[in-house]
C-alpha cells in the first residue's frame, strides 16, 4: 500500500498540467504486452490452421466409415450439394469397386438437445433404410444424455429403420425408441432429427439417384 | 524486501509448497469450476491439468520477465492479457493435435483464463520472484493441480462407470453409479478427498497455510 500512496501523491503533483511520465509508461507497457500477445496468437494461428482442418477432416472421415457400408471410393471427395429450406446440405456418396452406389451419408442437426445442438451423421441406403447413425458433436450431460454416444445398442436400433417401419418417437411419446433413465429430451431430439433426415431423403431420393447412379 | 525474503527459498521448498502444502485444490480450494466440470473421467482430468500447467508455465515465465517493466497500476490487465494469449494458444494447439480431447474439453479450455489460481500465481509469486523460481513454481503448482484433477476424475470414473482410463475395473457388468458422474458426485467425492488430505497432513504434523479466495499464499508479503 505504501508504494501505491506515494505513487498517487507523486502523480497528483505532476499531472496537474498535461500527462505524467507514469501514464505514458502505462500506455507503453500495455501496448507492448498486447502487441506481443497478438503476434503470438497470429503465429499460432498460422501454424495450427492446417493441422486443425486436417484433424476435422480425419474426424469426419472416421465417422463416415462408421455410418456407411464397406466402400472403395473416397467419400470425402465425392460429395453432392443439395439445396434445402435451411441451407445447402452436403451428401457423401459411398460406392463399391464396381462403382455401384451403396449408400449416402449426411449430417443432421438436432437444435433441441438438452444443452445446445446435437450434430448427427446418418448413413442411408438407396432404398431409404438407415444404415447407421453416429453423434459427431454434443454437449449433453455426462452420465445422462451422453448415452446417445455411449449406449451402443441404442444407436444400433436405428439400423434398418425406414420412414414407416417404426414409430419415430421415444417410448414415452408412444414411439418405439428407448429413452434413458433421467434423460428423455436428448434421445427425443435425436430421433426427431433422424426422422427429418429421412424425410429429406424421401423428398430428394429421385434427384440423388439420378445424379449418382451410372456415373 | 519481498525479493530478499523469497530468495532464501530453496527450489525444493517451492516444489513442495506448490504441489502439496499450498495445493491449488487441496489447500486453497481455487479453480473449482474446471475441477467439478471436467473431472467425469481420469483422462479428462489429466488433459485439463496438462493444459492448465502449460498456461501457468507460460504466464509465470512472462510475468516474471516483465515484472520490472510493467507499472504497478496496470499490472492486472497486463497479466490477464498474457494469460489469455497463452490459453488461446493452448486451445488452438489442442484443437490441432489432440482434436478429440479438444471436443470433449472444448468449453472449459477458454475458461482457464478466469481460473483465478493462474492470476493468483502471477500476482503472488511470479511478479516478485526470479525467472527460474517462477518457472519452478509454475511446474509445481501445475503438477499439483493436475494431480488433484486426476485423483478426483479417477474416483468419479471408477465408482461412476467402473472403469479407469477407459479400462474396466470391476468387470464388464458394473452398473453405472450415476451420482458420481453427475455434479453432486463431484462435491461428495471432493469432500472425502479433502478429508483424506487433512488426515494425511495431521499425521505429518503440518497444517496447510492457504488463505481464502484469490489471496496469495504464505510467501506473498503484503505491502501493508
Amino acid at each position: 500500500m505504501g508504494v501505491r500512496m506515494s505513487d498517487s501523491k507523486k502523480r497528483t503533483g505532476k499531472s496537474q498540467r498535461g500527462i505524467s511520465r507514469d501514464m505514458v509508461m502505462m500506455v507503453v507497457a500495455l501496448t507492448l504486452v498486447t502487441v506481443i500477445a497478438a503476434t503470438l496468437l497470429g503465429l499460432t494461428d498460422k501454424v495450427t490452421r492446417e493441422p486443425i482442418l486436417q484433424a476435422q477432416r480425419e474426424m469426419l472421415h472416421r465417422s463416415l466409415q462408421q455410418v456407411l457400408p464397406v466402400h472403395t471410393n473416397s467419400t470425402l471427395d465425392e460429395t453432392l450439394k443439395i439445396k434445402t429450406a435451411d441451407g445447402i446440405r452436403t451428401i457423401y456418396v459411398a460406392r463399391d469397386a464396381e462403382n455401384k452406389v451403396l449408400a449416402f451419408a449426411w449430417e443432421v442437426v438436432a437444435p433441441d438437445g438438452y444443452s445446445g445442438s446435437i450434430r448427427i451423421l446418418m448413413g442411408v441406403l438407396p432404398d431409404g433404410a438407415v444404415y447407421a447413425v453416429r453423434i459427431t458433436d454434443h454437449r449433453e450431460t455426462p452420465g445422462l444424455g451422453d448415452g446417445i454416444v455411449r449406449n451402443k445398442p441404442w444407436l444400433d436400433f436405428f439400423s434398418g429403420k425406414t420412414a414407416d417401419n417404426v414409430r419415430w418417437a421415444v417410448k414415452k411419446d408412444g414411439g418405439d425408441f428407448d429413452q434413458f433413465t433421467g434423460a428423455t429430451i436428448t434421445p427425443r431430439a435425436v430421433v426427431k432429427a433422424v426422422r427429418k433426415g429421412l424425410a429429406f431423403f424421401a423428398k430428394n431420393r429421385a434427384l440423388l439417384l439420378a445424379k449418382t447412379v451410372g456415373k | 524486501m519481498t525479493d530478499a525474503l523469497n530468495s532464501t527459498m530453496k527450489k525444493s521448498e517451492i516444489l513442495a509448497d506448490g504441489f502439496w502444502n499450498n495445493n491449488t485444490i487441496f489447500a486453497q480450494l481455487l479453480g473449482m469450476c474446471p475441477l467439478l466440470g471436467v473431472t467425469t473421467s481420469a483422462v479428462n482430468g489429466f488433459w485439463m491439468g496438462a493444459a492448465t500447467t502449460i498456461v501457468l508455465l507460460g504466464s509465470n515465465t512472462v510475468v516474471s520477465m516483465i515484472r520490472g517493466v510493467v507499472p504497478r497500476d496496470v499490472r492486472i490487465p497486463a497479466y490477464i492479457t498474457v494469460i489469455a494469449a497463452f490459453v488461446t494458444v493452448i486451445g488452438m494447439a489442442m484443437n490441432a493435435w489432440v482434436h478429440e480431447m479438444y471436443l470433449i474439453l472444448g468449453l472449459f479450455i477458454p475458461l482457464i483464463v478466469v481460473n483465478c489460481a493462474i492470476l493468483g500465481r502471477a500476482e503472488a509469486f511470479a511478479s516478485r520472484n526470479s525467472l527460474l523460481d517462477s518457472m519452478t513454481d509454475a511446474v509445481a503448482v501445475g503438477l499439483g493441480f493436475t494431480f488433484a484433477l486426476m485423483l478426483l476424475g479417477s474416483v468419479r470414473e471408477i465408482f461412476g462407470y467402473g472403469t479407469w482410463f477407459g479400462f474396466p475395473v470391476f468387470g464388464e457388468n458394473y452398473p453405472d453409479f450415476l451420482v458420481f458422474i453427475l455434479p453432486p458426485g463431484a462435491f461428495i467425492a471432493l469432500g472425502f478427498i479433502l478429508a483424506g488430505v487433512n488426515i494425511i497432513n495431521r499425521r505429518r504434523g503440518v497444517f496447510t497455510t492457504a488463505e481464502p479466495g484469490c489471496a496469495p499464499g504464505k510467501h506473498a508479503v503484503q505491502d501493508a
Side-chain angles (χ1 to χ4, degrees), chain A residues 115-128:
Chain A
S115 38
S117 298
I118 305 167
R119 304 173 81 86
I120 305 151
L121 198 66
M122 55 191 286
V124 174
L125 302 173
D127 63 3

Side-chain angles (χ1 to χ4, degrees), chain B residues 10 16 32-33 56 65 72 77 87 96 109 139 148 161 178 181 193:
Chain B
K10 289 200 202 88
M32 286 293 120
C33 168
L56 202 53
M65 275 158 60
R72 234 191 112 71
V87 169
I109 299 289
V139 171
Y161 289 140
L178 271 187
I181 301 302
I193 289 174

Side-chain angles (χ1 to χ4, degrees), chain A residues 1 11 44 62 142-143 150, chain B residues 73 89 100 161 176 178 223:
Chain A
M1 257 352 238
R11 201 177 310 134
T44 314
R62 230 175 310 151
R150 307 195 313 118
Chain B
D73 289 3
V89 167
E100 262 167 87
Y161 289 140
D176 289 358
L178 271 187
D223 285 341

Side-chain angles (χ1 to χ4, degrees), chain A residues 125-179:
Chain A
L125 302 173
D127 63 3
V130 174
Y131 182 77
V133 165
R134 286 290 178 277
I135 312 295
T136 49
D137 189 32
H138 75 100
R139 297 265 168 273
E140 302 304 299
T141 321
L144 296 177
D146 76 340
I148 53 169
V149 181
R150 307 195 313 118
N151 192 334
K152 266 288 271 164
W154 188 82
L155 277 172
D156 289 342
F157 187 72
F158 282 93
S159 300
K161 301 293 179 289
T162 63
D164 32 45
N165 71 357
V166 74
R167 280 172 292 170
W168 284 93
V170 292
K171 284 185 174 152
K172 214 178 202 171
D173 302 336
D176 287 327
F177 290 83
D178 278 322
Q179 58 260 3

Side-chain angles (χ1 to χ4, degrees), chain B residues 5-216:
Chain B
L5 186 104
N6 278 337
S7 66
T8 61
M9 269 177 81
K10 289 200 202 88
K11 296 277 182 294
S12 60
E13 246 178 277
I14 300 176
L15 283 171
D17 227 62
F19 187 79
W20 185 266
N21 296 332
N22 208 10
N23 185 294
T24 317
I25 301 293
F26 299 150
Q28 303 189 73
L29 291 170
L30 293 180
M32 286 293 120
C33 168
L35 177 82
L36 302 172
V38 304
T39 55
T40 49
S41 71
V43 71
N44 287 6
F46 170 78
W47 279 107
M48 189 65 192
T52 310
T53 305
I54 296 169
V55 171
L56 202 53
L57 187 58
S59 76
N60 260 17
T61 304
V62 173
V63 166
S64 178
M65 275 158 60
I66 61 173
R67 69 188 191 280
V69 188
V70 174
R72 234 191 112 71
D73 289 3
V74 292
R75 69 192 192 288
I76 300 295
Y79 298 166
I80 279 291
T81 310
V82 170
I83 294 167
F86 276 111
V87 169
T88 314
V89 167
I90 294 302
M92 289 196 267
M94 285 184 80
N95 194 352
W97 292 297
V98 275
H99 193 68
E100 262 167 87
M101 223 352 104
Y102 178 80
L103 292 181
I104 294 172
L105 297 182
L107 186 66
F108 288 93
I109 299 289
L111 283 176
I112 297 177
V113 179
V114 290
N115 184 339
C116 87
I118 293 176
L119 185 63
R121 288 335 281 170
E123 165 71 357
F125 198 97
S127 67
R128 303 151 196 260
N129 287 284
S130 71
L131 181 61
L132 207 59
D133 281 358
S134 299
M135 290 168 78
T136 312
D137 179 71
V139 171
V141 172
L143 288 180
F145 190 68
T146 309
F147 172 67
L149 255 64
M150 268 175 69
L151 185 62
L152 187 59
S154 300
V155 170
R156 291 179 69 188
E157 190 186 341
I158 288 171
F159 289 112
Y161 289 140
T163 60
W164 193 53
F165 284 98
F167 297 106
V169 179
F170 299 126
E172 296 286 347
N173 293 322
Y174 183 79
D176 289 358
F177 193 7
L178 271 187
V179 72
F180 275 100
I181 301 302
L182 298 174
F187 286 103
I188 294 168
L190 179 65
F192 278 100
I193 289 174
L194 289 180
V197 167
N198 283 345
I199 291 171
I200 293 171
N201 281 342
R202 197 156 300 167
R203 290 250 170 91
R204 287 169 66 223
V206 289
F207 294 91
T208 50
T209 49
E211 294 152 40
C214 269

